[in-house]
Amino acid sequence: MSKNTVMELTRIIQNASLAPSSKEQVQIIVDAISDVIHIDVCSLYRKTPSNKMILLASHGLASNRPVILGENQGLVGRVASQRHSINIINPELHPDYLYVPSSKEEEFHSFCGVPLVHHGEVIGVLVVQSRRAELLATEQEAFLSTLGAHLALLIANIPAESLTFNQENEKKVGVSGSPGISIGRIKLIKSSGLNSVQDNPCTDIEEEIENWKQLREQVRQELKEERITVERELGDSLASVLDAYQLFLDDIGFSQKIETEIRRGKTLLWAIKQTIKFFSDQFQAMDDPYLQARHEDINALGNKLYHSWQGTHLTSEDIQSEEPVILVGEQITVSDIANLPTEQLAGIICYTGAALSHIAIFSNALGIPAVLGVGSLNVQDGDYVIVNADSAYIVLKPSRQLIKEYQVVLKSRQAFDETLKAKLKEPAVTQDGVRIQLFANSGLQADIMPGVRNGADGIGLYRTEIPFMIRQNLPTEDEQVKVYQQVISAYESKPVYIRTLDVGADKPLPYLPHVVEENPALGLRGIRFTLDNLQILLTQFRAIMRAAEGKSNVNVLLPMVGATQELDQSIELLESAYRQLSEEGVSVTKPKIGIMVEVPATISLLPFWKNKIDFVSIGSNDLSQYLLALDRNNTLVAKLYDPLHPAVVHEIKRIKSIADQYEIDVSLCGEMASDPIAVVLLVGMGIRRLSMSSAKIPYIKWLLSSHTIQDAEEFAAKALACDTSAAIRELGKDFVR
Ligand code: PEP
Ligand code: MG
């Protein structure tokens, strides 16, 4: 098999991935394979959740009826169960041969099947057959195995349910932008307006330039008004997302490009289309994932310009409906929802978008379930859809039965939420009366009040990088003071732990020079970054102390400290910020200082630091990443990443023992703090302070109230004797009621 053939097929697979539907994709592929390797039949089977095999597409087999093979049935089933290729002649003589009359298979006298394996599981089988009773040549078989690896990746993204012949309950998997489950009717946000603009000649260039100037002014004004609405509802940090659109609009280069296009004899809409494409391509070509995600801002501006010009913006009347509305669109922007009454909105679905999208941040802040990146959908206004953002998928054309089942789930969730709401003001105590402090993790202004409303005992982790990341420039000291003051004053005298900037790795600051690192998670991040840029850290210390003026409940938390000199330098900087402010006449109290325990090296150093720090907060997300050598953001190893790994559990136990011995306060603020099994385990190991997303607090409070400390300790003792996270989880199921 020549190298060119392999390249040709790789190209076909890439092209197929652009086909509008999964069915078309797989058909293109099987047709192409049989054409390139000159074989009579090429068929692709996909395993269903019930372990059956569905024939997705075939070149050469008659397919007037769906072919579905039972578990391990036929030669296809044998390839799947043995996880190994079969290459035989006269397949009809094989004991596992299963004759499917509708396929007219009897005409073919050779069979070669290769398993398609994804993440360690057989998810399908690729089969080629020929009329002649001739074994497939070894190099052809090897070629099919290579191809199988590519195909597995492609078909893994096709949910088997969506390929059944019943178009009901079509499931599309995406990424979760904001958790929750909802059912509603679709309202399409038309965003392809610019895409369909044609290159028609412009008759009056000067008039078109004038049109551009007017449109620019009109959109400037609209953005200003939207900003005021968003700021009022959700705070300044989120409203500043709209500044990104304003910034492009004000950019001279942007305007010049549009004018140049018009002067070339193009219409205004065509000029906008070309200009948006030009800038969007530039962003998309960037390596940095945050900057790459910013191409959504420029496209959002394009849509805004288009709809303002055409007068086709969605208004509140458009979403008037008796039933909940789910907004669906290629890319839904902050502008799209800024002026809509959010009570009516039950969900958001975007064809594109990732967890870093602004729409994800927004839907989280609004508490609306959102699934992003589902690919383009063939749906109509008014169609029913189920959004299951907890499991990152949607269900199109849900059957009545499924809607009923989901309604039952939603009802029982609502009833349970009412039970939880009734206890919001009560403290979290175990069944036998031991008080556990539950803090909120925050970073957006929009998270602050939900934490207060959900009865948080304070802010256990305020991630300052979020207000830094959604701005266009480093925030000034005064700007930071304002942001921190809002958090501090919302919690009155309750403790607030403000973490200094934790950027680098997966959280680069878009406006600072970006250094390409081979292993960014092991590179210049967290405290290493701010000590390298100590003016940023000093300003931040000053801002935190100024915001805390007259208060004693504010604490400074340092991220990623892993060496004594890092801690010493940070303390020295905090001291000098304190001296500077005192000299300037500001009446400051020195805040308590503590560190995140995220780098495994930190644990052994804690005894040395006993007189330097007041508290530690266990960052179980990074601690697990570094202890297990598993990238927390890498989907390829996602199923291995579990903070309940025995090594992590034992290290947390060690941290707690050292902290007790040296009288250092301990809390935990990673995702573990809202995983029910982990919570009971942590409490059983003596942890009494947990910090989590504010939405989880009522549930964790309820969970704790139904367990005694003795239960939890018994579970912890047994869990510490397990050697896999699966065993701990299994045990946990018996304990966590
Ligand atoms: C952690 O690492 O557990 C943590 C809370 O910090 P972040 O998730 O912000 O890295
Ligand atoms: Mg961390």
Side-chain angles (χ1 to χ4, degrees):
M1 194 63 45
S2 77
K3 197 168 159 203
N4 278 348
T5 318
V6 179
M7 278 165 60
E8 169 75 354
L9 278 165
T10 312
R11 194 184 58 76
I12 291 162
I13 289 175
Q14 274 165 0
N15 282 349
S17 65
L18 302 175
S21 74
S22 319
K23 279 198 179 152
E24 283 160 277
Q25 283 179 5
V26 284
Q27 192 60 49
I28 292 175
I29 289 169
V30 291
D31 288 343
I33 296 174
S34 40
D35 183 38
V36 173
I37 65 171
H38 311 294
I39 195 103
D40 300 313
V41 173
C42 177
S43 312
L44 192 55
Y45 292 82
R46 168 79 154 96
K47 200 188 239 180
T48 70
S50 55
N51 291 331
K52 293 190 173 123
M53 282 287 177
I54 295 184
L55 176 62
L56 291 185
S58 177
H59 175 99
L61 286 188
S63 59
N64 48 1
R65 260 196 239 157
V67 174
I68 303 177
L69 306 176
E71 185 170 357
N72 297 339
Q73 262 192 344
L75 290 169
V76 169
R78 187 181 169 90
V79 173
S81 65
Q82 294 207 331
R83 299 176 285 183
H84 196 265
S85 308
I86 295 180
N87 185 7
I88 52 172
I89 53 168
N90 299 325
E92 62 280 7
L93 303 179
H94 194 284
D96 285 331
Y97 180 74
L98 178 84
Y99 177 57
V100 180
S102 63
S103 68
K104 304 231 169 80
E105 235 182 323
E106 64 275 18
E107 297 170 15
F108 307 104
H109 302 293
S110 81
F111 176 103
C112 178
V114 296
L116 306 180
V117 179
H118 185 67
H119 287 179
E121 265 177 52
V122 176
I123 58 164
V125 174
L126 175 68
V127 176
V128 296
Q129 290 171 274
S130 129
R131 281 181 206 284
R132 279 174 305 174
E134 244 176 41
L135 277 182
L136 204 68
T138 316
E139 87 256 24
Q140 277 180 317
E141 193 187 333
F143 166 72
L144 285 184
S145 301
T146 317
L147 187 63
H150 292 267
L151 281 180
L153 269 180
L154 186 89
I155 71 160
N157 292 321
I158 307 176
E161 300 85 335
S162 75
L163 291 146
T164 56
F165 296 84
N166 169 6
Q167 280 304 298
E168 274 189 341
N169 299 338
E170 190 181 344
K171 192 167 160 190
K172 294 264 180 185
V173 180
V175 291
S176 175
S178 164
I181 295 181
S182 58
I183 308 171
R185 285 191 184 267
I186 289 177
K187 178 70 207 168
L188 280 167
I189 300 248
K190 297 179 192 73
S191 55
S192 55
L194 265 191
N195 291 344
S196 56
V197 168
Q198 300 289 322
D199 181 11
N200 293 322
C202 164
T203 43
D204 187 337
I205 289 182
E206 290 314 316
E207 190 187 341
E208 208 67 338
I209 299 262
E210 198 42 45
N211 286 339
W212 162 235
K213 289 186 179 156
Q214 278 179 19
L215 177 66
R216 190 176 55 194
E217 205 37 53
Q218 178 192 334
V219 171
R220 248 187 212 141
Q221 212 43 45
E222 285 172 8
L223 283 171
K224 260 193 204 152
E225 285 159 23
E226 284 165 12
R227 195 192 196 289
I228 294 170
T229 318
V230 176
E231 187 173 346
R232 190 181 54 234
E233 305 282 329
L234 297 167
D236 177 63
S237 303
L238 283 177
S240 66
V241 167
L242 290 164
D243 296 344
Y245 308 173
Q246 194 77 267
L247 217 80
F248 280 120
L249 199 60
D250 291 344
D251 185 79
I252 297 182
F254 184 80
S255 248
Q256 271 173 353
K257 175 111 183 93
I258 290 191
E259 287 184 23
T260 311
E261 289 290 332
I262 297 174
R263 293 208 181 279
R264 287 176 55 220
K266 309 292 178 187
T267 59
L268 172 56
L269 279 183
W270 181 260
I272 294 175
K273 178 177 173 174
Q274 294 306 101
T275 308
I276 295 290
K277 183 172 179 323
F278 174 78
F279 286 106
S280 168
D281 287 352
Q282 280 193 348
F283 275 106
Q284 265 188 307
M286 292 180 181
D287 288 334
D288 178 312
Y290 184 84
L291 287 181
Q292 225 177 50
R294 298 288 66 79
H295 82 274
E296 74 177 53
D297 294 335
I298 185 85
N299 287 325
L301 175 64
N303 281 331
K304 173 130 197 77
L305 288 166
Y306 175 85
H307 288 301
S308 297
W309 177 246
Q310 305 283 59
T312 47
H313 270 307
L314 201 67
T315 64
S316 28
E317 283 90 70
D318 293 319
I319 64 156
Q320 293 282 316
S321 158
E322 299 277 291
E323 291 172 87
V325 172
I326 313 275
L327 291 183
V328 176
E330 177 164 359
Q331 187 200 32
I332 297 172
T333 69
V334 178
S335 255
D336 287 322
I337 49 175
N339 295 318
L340 299 180
T342 44
E343 318 78 66
Q344 194 73 29
L345 291 187
I348 289 178
I349 300 171
C350 293
Y351 305 164
T352 59
L356 282 174
S357 309
H358 281 148
I359 196 67
I361 300 176
F362 252 72
S363 9
N364 254 302
L366 293 167
I368 300 175
V371 179
L372 316 175
V374 293
S376 30
L377 303 178
N378 185 10
V379 289
Q380 313 282 333
D381 273 342
D383 285 357
Y384 274 113
V385 64
I386 292 172
V387 180
N388 186 338
D390 289 347
S391 305
Y393 67 78
I394 59 167
V395 185
L396 301 174
K397 303 189 186 75
S399 63
R400 277 192 188 183
Q401 177 60 23
L402 194 67
I403 292 183
K404 267 196 195 151
E405 284 169 23
Y406 265 88
Q407 275 164 343
V408 172
V409 172
L410 278 179
K411 248 200 169 144
S412 68
R413 276 191 173 215
Q414 277 155 5
F416 183 52
D417 283 350
E418 291 304 315
T419 319
L420 298 183
K421 261 192 206 151
K423 296 191 186 297
L424 288 186
K425 294 266 172 294
E426 293 175 18
V429 279
T430 57
Q431 210 175 49
D432 49 348
V434 174
R435 174 83 161 95
I436 311 290
Q437 281 186 303
L438 301 185
F439 297 106
N441 287 349
S442 174
L444 287 170
Q445 270 168 311
D447 299 335
I448 301 173
M449 290 325 285
V452 176
R453 283 198 291 273
N454 284 345
D457 289 308
I459 291 275
L461 168 66
Y462 183 77
R463 291 181 165 105
T464 55
E465 56 275 13
I466 298 183
F468 273 71
M469 281 169 79
I470 59 181
R471 278 190 158 69
Q472 312 304 321
N473 286 300
L474 278 173
T476 63
E477 185 176 313
D478 286 349
E479 280 174 324
Q480 288 185 52
V481 172
K482 257 174 86 193
V483 173
Y484 307 149
Q485 261 170 351
Q486 276 167 353
V487 193
I488 297 168
S489 63
Y491 280 85
E492 295 170 356
S493 55
K494 291 180 178 166
V496 173
Y497 293 79
I498 301 184
R499 185 173 74 182
T500 60
L501 201 56
D502 181 17
V503 290
D506 58 324
K507 295 183 275 194
L509 272 190
Y511 40 81
L512 290 186
H514 183 55
V515 188
V516 178
E517 296 175 276
E518 200 156 324
N519 287 305
L522 303 180
L524 201 59
R525 61 163 296 196
I527 201 72
R528 301 172 190 160
F529 172 86
T530 44
L531 286 174
D532 245 36
N533 295 274
L534 51 81
Q535 78 290 5
I536 298 179
L537 190 56
L538 189 80
T539 309
Q540 217 183 0
F541 282 148
R542 286 177 53 101
I544 296 171
M545 281 192 267
R546 280 180 53 203
E549 197 177 340
K551 302 251 182 189
S552 56
N553 57 327
V554 179
N555 308 281
V556 168
L557 183 54
L558 305 171
M560 298 287 298
V561 178
T564 302
Q565 49 293 18
E566 289 167 351
L567 178 61
D568 290 348
Q569 280 175 40
S570 309
I571 293 174
E572 192 272 309
L573 267 184
L574 183 73
E575 299 278 352
S576 63
Y578 176 73
R579 270 196 312 277
Q580 286 175 7
L581 288 171
S582 306
E583 279 161 26
E584 289 165 27
V586 187
S587 79
V588 281
T589 329
K590 213 184 295 167
K592 286 192 180 158
I593 188 161
I595 53 159
M596 300 278 297
V597 183
E598 312 177 275
V599 180
T602 312
I603 307 171
S604 304
L605 290 170
L606 289 178
F608 296 96
W609 298 349
K610 59 180 188 293
N611 297 323
K612 299 182 183 178
I613 52 175
D614 300 302
F615 59 89
V616 295
S617 184
I618 303 171
S620 54
N621 305 338
D622 276 316
L623 185 63
S624 310
Q625 152 159 284
Y626 294 121
L627 271 172
L628 306 177
L630 286 168
D631 180 346
R632 60 192 261 195
N633 296 318
N634 182 343
T635 48
L636 292 178
V637 291
K639 72 176 180 190
L640 301 175
Y641 176 91
D642 188 346
L644 277 185
H645 188 291
V648 181
V649 174
H650 279 268
E651 286 308 290
I652 293 178
K653 176 96 179 55
R654 189 155 82 94
I655 298 166
K656 174 72 178 123
S657 314
I658 299 174
D660 284 351
Q661 189 182 347
Y662 295 99
E663 296 179 2
I664 305 170
D665 282 343
V666 191
S667 62
L668 185 141
C669 63
E671 290 305 308
M672 263 184 120
S674 52
D675 171 345
I677 293 178
V679 166
V680 179
L681 175 60
L682 292 166
V683 168
M685 293 198 298
I687 308 269
R688 297 288 180 264
R689 293 158 183 235
L690 298 166
S691 190
M692 65 204 74
S693 134
S694 59
K696 303 278 173 54
I697 292 177
Y699 168 66
I700 297 297
K701 198 184 281 183
W702 169 84
L703 174 82
L704 290 168
S705 70
S706 50
H707 289 82
T708 61
I709 288 291
Q710 200 189 338
D711 278 348
E713 284 174 353
E714 200 183 312
F715 170 40
K718 290 195 173 156
L720 284 161
C722 293
D723 62 355
T724 63
S725 49
I728 298 179
R729 288 204 178 275
E730 203 44 48
L731 250 177
K733 281 189 201 151
D734 295 337
F735 278 91
V736 178
R737 294 182 289 270

